[in-house]
Amino acid sequence: GAVVSQHPSWVICKSGTSVKIECRSLDFQATTMFWYRQFPKQSLMLMATSNEGSKATYEQGVEKDKFLINHASLTLSTLTVTSAHPEDSSFYICSASDRAGPDTQYFGPGTRLTVL
Amino acid sequence: KNQVEQSPQSLIILEGKNCTLQCNYTVSPFSNLRWYKQDTGRGPVSLTIMTFSENTKSNGRYTATLDADTKQSSLHITASQLSDSASYICVVSPNTGFQKLVFGTGTRLLVSP
């Protein structure tokens, strides 16, 4: 149980384009979803927290207009990287919790984004 | 400031040998401490979870220990296998429901044949 999937698993795009990454909880309802970014040889950095049906809460330094998060249902959250640039190339990981708050999170397999 | 520090940063061991990874944290009070295994290019997978009142938790060849007094945890891997090569991340959850998880920087383990 508690499986989280992400799609796509990897994506390559041109600079200036937008990319959407999906995160789904397959066998539970995700009250809260989290988006992380991970650079090589570094740990996960929380970008934003979203609760179903409400606006996402972004961490300091994360541009909300650049990283659009939508949590429209209890099983799906999307992260859209708008006007992507090479410095946005990273490994993006989502996680989901079946309760409010970050205490119990189930992580997705990650999405590798490369911006050319 | 809540911090989680792990050591060593990286480690190479021979297949079949045991190893111990360390985690020191300053998060207080905390709800639970987890060890995750992260294969390259994959998301973290939970190995063990311990509340502040637990001393040890096992999951197959993985055994985690916790000393809440010294704020230290360790992950012991027994009879290592090549598939154990991965990053191991210590994560502490503060004891206030909406505070974000505190991640360690991880230990990169390479098991050599």
Side-chain angles (χ1 to χ4, degrees), chain A residues 25 40 45 47 49-50 55 64 67 88 93 109:
Chain A
S25 57
M45 293 171 47
M47 299 175 66
T49 303
S50 73
K55 289 183 179 180
K64 62 180 180 181
F67 298 99
D88 298 324
I93 303 173

Side-chain angles (χ1 to χ4, degrees), chain B residues 25-37:
Chain B
Y25 61 92
T26 61
V27 182
S28 182
F30 76 96
S31 172
N32 59 68
L33 184 148
R34 297 172 185 258
W35 283 93
Y36 286 88
K37 177 186 179 187

Side-chain angles (χ1 to χ4, degrees), chain B residues 62-81:
Chain B
Y62 301 103
T63 299
T65 63
L66 174 64
D67 185 333
D69 292 331
T70 61
K71 296 185 173 59
Q72 295 180 326
S73 177
S74 65
L75 180 69
H76 187 74
I77 304 175
T78 305
S80 62
Q81 300 175 358

